[in-house]
Amino acid sequence: MLNPKITKALSILSGLLLLAAIAITLFTGIAKAGFLWIGFFFICAIAFLGIPKLRGYAYSMMIFGSVAIALYFPQYFIEYKGYKFSASIVPLIQIIMFGMGTSMSIKDFLGVVKMPKGVLIGVLCQFSIMPFIGYTLAKTSGFPPEIAAGMILIGCSPSGMASNVMAFLARANLALSITVTSVTTLLAPFVTPFLMGWLAGEFVAIDVVEMMFSIVKMVIIPIGAGLLFNYFLRGKAKWLDDLMPIISMAAIALILVVIVAAGRDSLLDIGPLLIILVVVHNLFGYVLGYWASRLFRLSEKDCRTIAIEVGMQNGGLASGIAKEMGKIATVGLAPAVFGPFMNVSGSILASYWHKKPIEPEEENS
């Protein structure tokens, strides 16, 4: 934890930067306030690390800072001496998936046996609610076909590790969250291409088989390597256990920077409407995931878990799929916007549920 005096100084500095950024934006335009907005986000993130109640939002602020850098200085994140930074997206996804594999074990899949009803409902909700919300929003958005397809892509993706963190913070069923994430991730090579071919085929050409192999390359192989690493070297590489979450977070930030830089012009053109639709997509995922679980008479703890699992998608994987499709600057835009927002909304929801204890009668309902 940061020294309280340093935390206070950083908080004051971030507040001053925010006021200056708003003032310059109002009087001279947002284009002139770039360094102030970037400084505000990053200094605010560091300050949050020293405030227990706000620490969970530090990563989200860093993500916003990263996105701001890409919007103001995209030229530095597109290409360098002939090397296109978009080529790094798939390797970064593989690193994230390897990290996920190192944190998994066979126990994560025993939940299928111990909690079959919760896992089945969680998986079905994940691969039905979000894809069809995405399709509905894509149809009504009026976006160019490839950007509309990105709305469907983020909906067809599995949940990610961020949902596990939020389930833990919300005092939900962490074991169920980890199991649903694990199962949906391993099903993704088969289910996601099928759903994309069915729902997004009218927007863009979808090669289902090619997408299947792309997801296997990005998900199954690195997770399998991570599982083997964990099995043979469990307890022998604690440094890696401590380091992988940091590497994964950094990788996600880099992916977002590259995508936002590549699609900056399109994002500035349709940004406000895209943000609104992404917010609707995310929030409806939480609401429908929760009430679908209530409909099937799951406990309050499990309903909260599935709500988080459904509302929070693996934006990194969706970005990797968009890159493999060769449409990172268009299909990849919705995942790039969805990722930062879901971390903020997930943190708020987890904080609310953390402060709202589950009554005994709700737990047994």
Side-chain angles (χ1 to χ4, degrees), residues 55-57 59-60 100 103 159-178 181 245-246 248-249 252 286 304-305 308-309 312 342-343 346-351 353-354:
R55 194 177 301 150
Y57 300 100
Y59 177 61
S60 298
M100 183 176 179
S103 66
S159 52
M161 291 182 68
S163 64
N164 305 153
V165 176
M166 300 309 168
F168 172 75
L169 295 175
R171 294 179 178 174
N173 188 337
L174 181 59
L176 176 61
S177 176
I178 292 172
T181 297
I246 298 172
S248 295
M249 288 190 290
I252 291 170
Y286 293 138
R304 294 181 179 186
T305 305
I308 292 171
E309 284 297 307
M312 300 190 73
M342 78 170 187
N343 280 290
S347 298
I348 294 171
L349 181 60
S351 178
W353 271 334
H354 181 84

Side-chain angles (χ1 to χ4, degrees), residues 96-127:
I96 295 169
M97 291 297 114
F98 174 79
M100 183 176 179
T102 62
S103 66
M104 292 166 58
S105 68
I106 193 66
K107 290 188 296 183
D108 296 332
F109 300 97
L110 292 178
V112 178
V113 178
K114 295 179 180 178
M115 303 171 286
K117 182 179 179 181
V119 174
L120 179 61
I121 292 170
V123 173
L124 289 176
C125 286
Q126 176 67 48
F127 285 127

